[in-house]
Amino acid sequence: MSSNGGYSSYRSNTNVLQFLFAMAPGIGVALAGGVMLMFSQVTAAIFDISEMTRESLVASGLLPKDVIAATEQDLRSEGSLVKNYRGKSITKDSTGFAVDGRHFNSIGEAQAFIDGNR
């Protein structure tokens, strides 16, 4: 029998409980971090899948490249470069697109103008 009347076993159980309670916030933070990491991976996968779908539609011919360029151009500010086509710069302006000061409604029209001036 122990000299302290069994008090040491009670104290060791108390230390274990205190240790577990002290770990609870850290475990909660780790679990929350894991959930946030999971959501970020799902979001990245969604963007990757949408990009691959768009590329496969372009490769199969079901989605013209002009549609993609026009869609991406809508997000750009006025005066910014849309693309370089055969050495000429197609930029966004207030009415649509511009090449050498001439205005066009679509990128396709601007490219046709460049092709006609070669």
Side-chain angles (χ1 to χ4, degrees), residues 9-67:
S9 66
Y10 170 75
R11 186 167 187 201
S12 66
N13 287 340
T14 304
N15 287 341
V16 170
L17 289 175
Q18 287 176 343
F19 179 72
L20 292 176
F21 283 130
M23 286 180 43
I27 292 171
V29 168
L31 290 175
V35 169
M36 289 174 26
L37 183 63
M38 178 190 66
F39 282 125
S40 67
Q41 290 296 317
V42 168
T43 302
I46 289 170
F47 282 117
D48 287 343
I49 289 171
S50 67
E51 186 176 339
M52 286 186 290
T53 301
R54 183 181 71 170
E55 292 298 322
S56 64
L57 287 173
V58 169
S60 67
L62 296 175
L63 184 65
K65 290 182 181 180
D66 286 346
V67 172

